[in-house]
Amino acid sequence: MPHPLGSTPSKIIAVHLNFRSRAEERGRTPAHPSYFLKPPSSLAGTQEAIVRPRGCDLLGFEGEIALVIGSRAGRVRPEDGWRHVRWVTAANDAGVYDLRHADRGSNLRSKGADGFTPIGPRLLDAAQLDPGALRLRTWVNGELVQDDTTDTLLFPFGDLIADLSRLVTLEPGDVILTGTPAGASVVAPGDVVEVEVGDGRLSTGILRSPIVDAEHDLEPWGAQPRTDRAEAESAYGSAYVPGPLLDDSLADGLRSSAVATISAQLRRRGLPHMSIDGVHPATGGTRMVGVAHTLRYLPLREDLFEKYGTGMNAQKRAVEELWPGQVLVMDARRDASAGTLGDILALRAQQRGAAGVVTDGGLRDSAAVADLGLPVFHGGAHPSVLGRRHVPWDTGVPIACGGALVQPGDLIVGDDDGVVVVPPHLAGELIADCREQERQERFITEQVRAGAGVDGLYPLGPAWREQYRTWCAKNTNEGEHA
């Protein structure tokens, strides 16, 4: 594709991490910007296909704001950097994570393939724009997946230009890709990625990139596609967990154990504060077992709600980040006077394969949510939207829900009695002890029905131990731990 100014740029420079939301998603915030180069031959325009090489599964998209340099920049100061930008447009920094191993650090083959840098479709005059007031949005198949603004950048545009120009002269026509916000992930042939940049008045229009598969195999000479857990996590984002989230035997064991029994066993291990207090199931008879994915709400601040509460906010991102077997756990500070979940997001969580949702805040559309059949535990029904009390803030962080500390990856178990948090490393021994406790309680129940008093029987005392062992031997399905 010809360069938008009519000539090929001398270089395309891409920033690794720049949006605060992306840094939080990655779990690291750099002190200084870092960069890599993309070849000018990677440029493409709107409606041009991004071709996924055969053998590659992890084709990532990254909606970005592209700066086109208008005048030569060498050793400029940060306050003068923006003056050297002539145009602003939308970009998609595409790449295949399956080939990152081949050029670790340089990203040459993983990010530099022909057509892997679509830009356009329109150029906005930088002189008419406030660089700190631009909005970047990305859609996949019509669904908004990235939505952020440049007032959240770690390194403003002028700082990037000043930093680069200390040692690298920027020439007219050079392109700088300024980083992607949270929400970048993986796409496949048949998907369509769309990116738009604007300020509310001016817009680049929609940069549209259909994804297609290559028509030929990748030649056998040279490095071949390869991936591992770390690359998959990097490609999909922080919420990606490959394979089953929870071993089937552990899941079955927790599911067969009453929450009250689990709570008692946790207390015996010196963990008396593992219950999520004040929540109850939207539907009676609910059983829930899954792995925690977390969402934190902060108290409403009207001046921040437009920035954090609208668009693809943390609440919606949390739902879209869910993987099968996860339970979305929401920290709403035990404030049920506004909704934190409604029927549409509950339906989407169910479609994502969620094992359930827990919120110590309010539930909207409670009857419709109950009809879904998705296990949902909440602090109370309320008709109000979250903007009455809450600002959705961040996901995938330790939270306090109903007085319990919940970390991503904790095991969450719920039934009609409530919800408890189970540390994963304790699950196996906890299940064994829960089974023994419930076995003893079945024996005790039989004795009470037969007229026995509870003194020395409940809990099971020494005087009843021999009779209990005999009972277990007669009831061989009661196990071997008597």
Side-chain angles (χ1 to χ4, degrees):
M1 168 194 141
H3 185 262
L5 294 181
S7 61
T8 301
S10 69
K11 48 192 167 291
I12 302 170
I13 301 171
V15 181
H16 280 113
L17 278 175
N18 199 13
F19 277 93
R20 186 173 294 111
S21 62
R22 179 68 160 177
E24 291 173 353
E25 190 178 59
R26 290 301 200 204
R28 55 190 173 89
T29 301
H32 306 286
S34 61
Y35 313 91
F36 61 95
L37 289 170
K38 299 189 77 169
S41 55
S42 69
L43 284 171
T46 191
Q47 302 290 1
E48 293 191 52
I50 297 175
V51 180
R52 188 181 73 175
R54 285 192 180 175
C56 293
D57 295 316
L58 303 178
L59 173 60
F61 68 88
E62 297 180 8
E64 305 209 9
I65 298 172
L67 310 180
V68 182
I69 298 299
S71 60
R72 205 166 191 260
R75 299 181 63 192
V76 303
R77 299 178 61 82
E79 57 268 29
D80 298 324
W82 182 247
R83 300 176 190 173
H84 293 269
V85 179
R86 180 67 184 92
W87 306 108
V88 173
T89 193
N92 183 354
D93 180 17
V96 281
Y97 287 76
D98 317 68
L99 289 173
R100 288 219 301 183
H101 71 94
D103 302 293
R104 182 66 64 186
S106 76
N107 291 332
L108 178 59
R109 281 170 284 188
S110 62
K111 289 274 196 175
D114 292 354
F116 271 24
T117 313
I119 66 171
R122 290 196 290 272
L123 300 172
L124 303 182
D125 186 348
Q128 299 183 43
L129 300 172
D130 176 355
L134 299 178
R135 183 182 186 186
L136 167 67
R137 290 185 292 174
T138 306
W139 297 262
V140 175
N141 302 328
E143 182 177 348
L144 185 65
V145 295
Q146 291 184 293
D147 188 354
D148 216 329
T149 52
T150 52
D151 59 344
T152 70
L153 293 178
L154 299 173
F155 312 108
F157 296 148
D159 291 13
L160 295 177
I161 293 166
D163 180 33
L164 286 165
S165 71
R166 292 185 305 158
L167 297 168
V168 178
T169 299
L170 301 175
E171 303 287 353
D174 286 350
V175 176
I176 301 174
L177 306 180
T178 58
T180 195
S185 190
V186 171
V187 286
D191 291 336
V192 177
V193 181
E194 297 173 309
V195 187
E196 181 188 24
V197 174
D199 66 354
R201 302 173 302 111
L202 303 173
S203 169
T204 61
I206 301 296
L207 172 66
R208 185 172 289 106
S209 302
I211 310 300
V212 302
D213 213 349
E215 296 179 352
H216 57 83
D217 293 335
L218 193 63
E219 287 74 13
W221 46 87
Q224 295 301 300
R226 188 182 78 200
T227 190
D228 55 26
R229 176 180 177 133
E231 291 294 7
E233 289 176 343
S234 185
Y236 277 96
S238 60
Y240 175 72
V241 183
L245 291 171
L246 181 59
D247 180 84
D248 286 344
S249 63
L250 287 180
D252 291 342
L254 291 171
R255 195 171 288 110
S256 66
S257 301
V259 163
T261 307
I262 295 173
S263 181
Q265 290 298 328
L266 287 167
R267 188 172 63 252
R268 289 177 183 175
R269 288 164 171 76
L271 296 170
H273 307 298
M274 305 302 284
S275 63
I276 296 179
D277 294 340
V279 301
H280 56 273
T283 306
T286 295
R287 297 286 302 179
M288 177 183 70
V289 175
V291 179
H293 178 52
T294 58
L295 166 63
R296 181 170 63 135
Y297 292 101
L298 292 181
L300 176 65
R301 245 184 69 175
E302 290 81 356
D303 60 320
L304 294 177
F305 191 82
E306 178 65 26
K307 177 179 175 182
Y308 290 98
T310 60
M312 194 63 183
N313 59 31
Q315 179 199 40
K316 294 176 182 175
R317 290 202 309 272
V319 172
E320 291 300 330
E321 290 166 357
L322 285 169
W323 283 79
Q326 286 188 317
V327 174
L328 178 57
V329 185
M330 300 179 177
D331 171 9
R333 310 173 315 286
R334 303 195 198 187
D335 186 347
S337 62
T340 57
L341 180 77
D343 59 339
I344 292 176
L345 290 184
L347 174 62
R348 181 58 179 160
Q350 185 179 53
Q351 290 176 332
R352 295 283 299 169
V357 179
V358 180
T359 175
D360 60 2
L363 174 68
R364 296 180 69 229
D365 313 310
S366 56
V369 171
D371 287 343
L372 288 175
L374 174 72
V376 174
F377 292 77
H378 61 96
H382 202 283
S384 174
V385 295
L386 63 89
R388 182 172 184 264
R389 294 289 187 190
H390 309 295
V391 181
W393 201 259
D394 50 9
T395 69
V397 296
I399 61 170
C401 182
L405 192 160
V406 182
Q407 295 192 99
D410 281 340
L411 306 182
I412 307 296
V413 186
D415 65 16
D416 282 343
D417 280 346
V419 179
V420 291
V421 183
V422 176
H425 68 280
L426 293 179
E429 63 181 72
L430 200 72
I431 290 167
D433 288 348
C434 283
R435 286 172 175 164
E436 172 60 18
Q437 179 182 331
E438 292 180 346
R439 185 182 302 116
Q440 290 184 17
E441 290 177 354
R442 285 192 293 272
F443 168 75
I444 293 167
T445 298
E446 283 190 18
Q447 309 316 308
V448 172
R449 282 203 181 106
V454 296
D455 185 23
L457 173 62
Y458 181 57
L460 193 68
W464 285 91
R465 285 287 175 183
E466 186 59 38
Q467 190 171 340
Y468 172 59
R469 280 191 282 269
T470 301
W471 178 84
C472 287
K474 290 180 178 177
N475 298 273
T476 54
N477 63 331
E478 293 296 344
E480 304 173 352
H481 299 286

